[in-house]
Amino acid sequence: MADGTKGKKVLFICLGNICRSPIAEAVFQWVVKKQRGLVGWEVDSAAIGSWHVGKDPDQRAIQVMKRHSIPMNHQARQLKKSDFAEFDYIIGMDHDNISDIKADAPPKHNAVVELFGSYDPEKELIIRDPYYDDDDLGFVKCYEQCLRCSRGFLDSLSV
């Protein structure tokens, strides 16, 4: 088990960085600061693809976060090589994200690449992608999964 007593740098990744990964970023940041009272953590999110770079999160994601009083302040960006040196953990939302992250990784890096759902006590491995939904129900599901996984990840570090 890793030493969780000091802050870590965590980067969440999804395909476009406007739905799942900014939700994961916001929820994780909220759990770290508000629920656990931890300091010294750096949290960010990024995309595999470049389609949405510079854009705000999906409005449905923003609305779900507002309903839960969780601040969300992010503009989409793409995963870059320097992230593998800067972050302790690079966490993907699904198996395709993990494959793409590993394919983009430099030959030598210290970042731990993991599937966020592997920390879900309810064992839902894949974080729900709500992008093509007509309503916000998928965003609510994504929020719930990210909340459970955030707690599970921190519990695994004993913080």
Side-chain angles (χ1 to χ4, degrees):
M1 205 181 299
D3 174 19
T5 58
K6 69 175 208 167
K8 305 285 183 198
K9 295 181 178 184
V10 182
L11 179 65
F12 293 100
I13 303 292
C14 70
L15 192 58
N17 195 216
I18 61 167
C19 297
R20 294 177 293 173
S21 59
I23 289 173
E25 173 190 352
V27 169
F28 186 79
Q29 186 86 295
W30 182 81
V31 170
V32 163
K33 288 182 178 179
K34 299 297 184 184
Q35 285 195 335
R36 303 280 174 111
L38 302 173
V39 295
W41 286 73
E42 183 178 322
V43 184
D44 196 2
S45 64
I48 297 296
S50 62
W51 313 281
H52 304 294
V53 169
K55 294 183 181 175
D56 291 335
D58 187 291
Q59 283 300 311
R60 296 167 292 177
I62 293 169
Q63 290 306 314
V64 168
M65 294 297 94
K66 280 183 181 177
R67 269 187 252 150
H68 294 282
S69 301
I70 296 176
M72 179 182 262
N73 182 19
H74 182 78
Q75 286 195 319
R77 73 172 185 88
Q78 192 170 14
L79 177 65
K80 52 191 184 228
K81 297 281 188 214
S82 61
D83 289 330
F84 291 90
E86 183 177 337
F87 288 91
D88 300 307
Y89 294 90
I90 299 178
I91 300 178
M93 302 294 120
D94 61 37
H95 295 296
D96 289 336
N97 295 160
I98 296 297
S99 294
D100 290 337
I101 293 164
K102 289 180 177 179
D104 287 347
K108 292 185 179 186
H109 66 86
N110 292 323
V112 176
V113 176
E114 294 185 305
L115 188 64
F116 200 28
S118 67
Y119 294 100
D120 188 348
E122 293 186 17
K123 306 295 184 212
E124 289 188 74
L125 284 180
I126 306 306
I127 303 299
R128 170 89 161 78
D129 187 354
Y131 181 71
Y132 290 105
D133 292 0
D134 292 331
D135 55 24
D136 70 353
L137 295 179
F139 288 87
V140 172
K141 171 77 172 177
C142 179
Y143 158 77
E144 292 168 351
Q145 288 180 283
C146 289
L147 185 59
R148 292 192 312 262
C149 293
S150 293
R151 292 171 177 160
F153 176 75
L154 291 168
D155 289 346
S156 79
L157 300 176
S158 299
V159 293

mmCIF file of all heavy atoms in Angstrom, residues 13-15 20 48 92-103 115 126:
data_model
loop_
_atom_site.group_PDB
_atom_site.id
_atom_site.type_symbol
_atom_site.label_atom_id
_atom_site.label_comp_id
_atom_site.label_asym_id
_atom_site.label_seq_id
_atom_site.Cartn_x
_atom_site.Cartn_y
_atom_site.Cartn_z
ATOM 1 N N ILE A 13 -8.522 10.786 -16.750
ATOM 2 C CA ILE A 13 -8.559 10.790 -18.211
ATOM 3 C C ILE A 13 -9.847 10.147 -18.720
ATOM 4 O O ILE A 13 -10.246 9.075 -18.266
ATOM 5 C CB ILE A 13 -7.365 9.987 -18.786
ATOM 6 C CG1 ILE A 13 -6.026 10.525 -18.292
ATOM 7 C CG2 ILE A 13 -7.423 9.932 -20.319
ATOM 8 C CD1 ILE A 13 -5.660 11.892 -18.794
ATOM 9 N N CYS A 14 -10.469 10.798 -19.707
ATOM 10 C CA CYS A 14 -11.531 10.176 -20.493
ATOM 11 C C CYS A 14 -11.305 10.572 -21.953
ATOM 12 O O CYS A 14 -10.304 11.217 -22.273
ATOM 13 C CB CYS A 14 -12.923 10.551 -19.998
ATOM 14 S SG CYS A 14 -13.443 12.251 -20.284
ATOM 15 N N LEU A 15 -12.211 10.202 -22.807
ATOM 16 C CA LEU A 15 -12.001 10.422 -24.233
ATOM 17 C C LEU A 15 -11.938 11.903 -24.604
ATOM 18 O O LEU A 15 -11.014 12.346 -25.280
ATOM 19 C CB LEU A 15 -13.089 9.715 -25.035
ATOM 20 C CG LEU A 15 -12.855 9.608 -26.533
ATOM 21 C CD1 LEU A 15 -11.549 8.875 -26.844
ATOM 22 C CD2 LEU A 15 -14.033 8.909 -27.193
ATOM 23 N N ARG A 20 -16.877 12.669 -18.190
ATOM 24 C CA ARG A 20 -16.445 11.811 -17.087
ATOM 25 C C ARG A 20 -15.231 12.336 -16.325
ATOM 26 O O ARG A 20 -15.252 12.397 -15.090
ATOM 27 C CB ARG A 20 -16.141 10.392 -17.600
ATOM 28 C CG ARG A 20 -17.361 9.671 -18.110
ATOM 29 C CD ARG A 20 -17.015 8.330 -18.676
ATOM 30 N NE ARG A 20 -16.216 8.477 -19.894
ATOM 31 C CZ ARG A 20 -15.657 7.455 -20.528
ATOM 32 N NH1 ARG A 20 -15.774 6.228 -20.061
ATOM 33 N NH2 ARG A 20 -14.968 7.660 -21.634
ATOM 34 N N ILE A 48 -8.065 12.036 -24.047
ATOM 35 C CA ILE A 48 -7.288 11.276 -25.013
ATOM 36 C C ILE A 48 -7.249 12.064 -26.329
ATOM 37 O O ILE A 48 -6.202 12.257 -26.926
ATOM 38 C CB ILE A 48 -7.909 9.877 -25.255
ATOM 39 C CG1 ILE A 48 -7.883 9.033 -23.966
ATOM 40 C CG2 ILE A 48 -7.225 9.169 -26.411
ATOM 41 C CD1 ILE A 48 -6.512 8.698 -23.437
ATOM 42 N N GLY A 92 -7.761 6.276 -15.759
ATOM 43 C CA GLY A 92 -8.696 6.238 -16.880
ATOM 44 C C GLY A 92 -10.077 5.770 -16.462
ATOM 45 O O GLY A 92 -10.249 5.104 -15.433
ATOM 46 N N MET A 93 -11.061 6.115 -17.274
ATOM 47 C CA MET A 93 -12.448 5.801 -16.974
ATOM 48 C C MET A 93 -12.916 4.464 -17.547
ATOM 49 O O MET A 93 -13.909 3.912 -17.090
ATOM 50 C CB MET A 93 -13.373 6.910 -17.516
ATOM 51 C CG MET A 93 -13.066 8.298 -16.970
ATOM 52 S SD MET A 93 -13.384 8.448 -15.213
ATOM 53 C CE MET A 93 -11.758 8.875 -14.616
ATOM 54 N N ASP A 94 -12.218 3.967 -18.581
ATOM 55 C CA ASP A 94 -12.585 2.679 -19.168
ATOM 56 C C ASP A 94 -11.339 2.012 -19.752
ATOM 57 O O ASP A 94 -10.256 2.598 -19.746
ATOM 58 C CB ASP A 94 -13.698 2.831 -20.215
ATOM 59 C CG ASP A 94 -13.332 3.717 -21.394
ATOM 60 O OD1 ASP A 94 -12.160 3.693 -21.862
ATOM 61 O OD2 ASP A 94 -14.216 4.445 -21.887
ATOM 62 N N HIS A 95 -11.496 0.784 -20.216
ATOM 63 C CA HIS A 95 -10.354 0.016 -20.717
ATOM 64 C C HIS A 95 -9.708 0.661 -21.947
ATOM 65 O O HIS A 95 -8.486 0.599 -22.103
ATOM 66 C CB HIS A 95 -10.761 -1.431 -21.020
ATOM 67 C CG HIS A 95 -11.161 -2.194 -19.792
ATOM 68 N ND1 HIS A 95 -10.289 -2.476 -18.769
ATOM 69 C CD2 HIS A 95 -12.352 -2.715 -19.426
ATOM 70 C CE1 HIS A 95 -10.911 -3.149 -17.823
ATOM 71 N NE2 HIS A 95 -12.176 -3.306 -18.195
ATOM 72 N N ASP A 96 -10.526 1.271 -22.810
ATOM 73 C CA ASP A 96 -9.964 1.951 -23.981
ATOM 74 C C ASP A 96 -9.087 3.126 -23.550
ATOM 75 O O ASP A 96 -8.018 3.352 -24.119
ATOM 76 C CB ASP A 96 -11.071 2.438 -24.925
ATOM 77 C CG ASP A 96 -11.757 1.299 -25.658
ATOM 78 O OD1 ASP A 96 -11.143 0.223 -25.821
ATOM 79 O OD2 ASP A 96 -12.921 1.495 -26.066
ATOM 80 N N ASN A 97 -9.540 3.882 -22.534
ATOM 81 C CA ASN A 97 -8.715 4.980 -22.008
ATOM 82 C C ASN A 97 -7.380 4.449 -21.519
ATOM 83 O O ASN A 97 -6.326 5.028 -21.814
ATOM 84 C CB ASN A 97 -9.397 5.683 -20.841
ATOM 85 C CG ASN A 97 -10.682 6.398 -21.172
ATOM 86 O OD1 ASN A 97 -11.472 6.667 -20.274
ATOM 87 N ND2 ASN A 97 -10.931 6.730 -22.424
ATOM 88 N N ILE A 98 -7.400 3.357 -20.785
ATOM 89 C CA ILE A 98 -6.170 2.782 -20.236
ATOM 90 C C ILE A 98 -5.235 2.369 -21.367
ATOM 91 O O ILE A 98 -4.024 2.661 -21.323
ATOM 92 C CB ILE A 98 -6.473 1.590 -19.301
ATOM 93 C CG1 ILE A 98 -7.274 2.057 -18.077
ATOM 94 C CG2 ILE A 98 -5.190 0.871 -18.893
ATOM 95 C CD1 ILE A 98 -6.570 3.054 -17.175
ATOM 96 N N SER A 99 -5.768 1.733 -22.391
ATOM 97 C CA SER A 99 -4.941 1.341 -23.540
ATOM 98 C C SER A 99 -4.325 2.553 -24.218
ATOM 99 O O SER A 99 -3.137 2.545 -24.558
ATOM 100 C CB SER A 99 -5.782 0.563 -24.565
ATOM 101 O OG SER A 99 -6.201 -0.658 -24.025
ATOM 102 N N ASP A 100 -5.127 3.602 -24.403
ATOM 103 C CA ASP A 100 -4.630 4.822 -25.048
ATOM 104 C C ASP A 100 -3.589 5.532 -24.174
ATOM 105 O O ASP A 100 -2.594 6.040 -24.690
ATOM 106 C CB ASP A 100 -5.791 5.784 -25.349
ATOM 107 C CG ASP A 100 -6.708 5.273 -26.449
ATOM 108 O OD1 ASP A 100 -6.264 4.444 -27.273
ATOM 109 O OD2 ASP A 100 -7.878 5.703 -26.480
ATOM 110 N N ILE A 101 -3.826 5.571 -22.871
ATOM 111 C CA ILE A 101 -2.867 6.199 -21.958
ATOM 112 C C ILE A 101 -1.533 5.467 -22.049
ATOM 113 O O ILE A 101 -0.471 6.086 -22.184
ATOM 114 C CB ILE A 101 -3.389 6.191 -20.503
ATOM 115 C CG1 ILE A 101 -4.610 7.108 -20.361
ATOM 116 C CG2 ILE A 101 -2.282 6.582 -19.527
ATOM 117 C CD1 ILE A 101 -5.406 6.882 -19.084
ATOM 118 N N LYS A 102 -1.578 4.152 -21.980
ATOM 119 C CA LYS A 102 -0.351 3.349 -22.038
ATOM 120 C C LYS A 102 0.356 3.511 -23.378
ATOM 121 O O LYS A 102 1.582 3.547 -23.431
ATOM 122 C CB LYS A 102 -0.654 1.888 -21.742
ATOM 123 C CG LYS A 102 -1.004 1.669 -20.276
ATOM 124 C CD LYS A 102 -1.300 0.214 -19.988
ATOM 125 C CE LYS A 102 -1.563 0.014 -18.490
ATOM 126 N NZ LYS A 102 -1.882 -1.381 -18.165
ATOM 127 N N ALA A 103 -0.414 3.636 -24.464
ATOM 128 C CA ALA A 103 0.185 3.830 -25.782
ATOM 129 C C ALA A 103 0.867 5.191 -25.890
ATOM 130 O O ALA A 103 1.868 5.334 -26.600
ATOM 131 C CB ALA A 103 -0.881 3.691 -26.877
ATOM 132 N N LEU A 115 -7.330 1.982 -13.684
ATOM 133 C CA LEU A 115 -8.738 2.132 -14.012
ATOM 134 C C LEU A 115 -9.474 2.628 -12.769
ATOM 135 O O LEU A 115 -9.401 1.996 -11.708
ATOM 136 C CB LEU A 115 -9.282 0.773 -14.457
ATOM 137 C CG LEU A 115 -10.681 0.694 -15.025
ATOM 138 C CD1 LEU A 115 -10.782 1.485 -16.337
ATOM 139 C CD2 LEU A 115 -11.055 -0.765 -15.274
ATOM 140 N N ILE A 126 -16.328 0.112 -15.162
ATOM 141 C CA ILE A 126 -16.350 1.147 -16.202
ATOM 142 C C ILE A 126 -17.190 2.333 -15.735
ATOM 143 O O ILE A 126 -18.353 2.176 -15.372
ATOM 144 C CB ILE A 126 -16.916 0.582 -17.525
ATOM 145 C CG1 ILE A 126 -16.154 -0.676 -17.955
ATOM 146 C CG2 ILE A 126 -16.922 1.645 -18.622
ATOM 147 C CD1 ILE A 126 -14.655 -0.511 -18.066
#
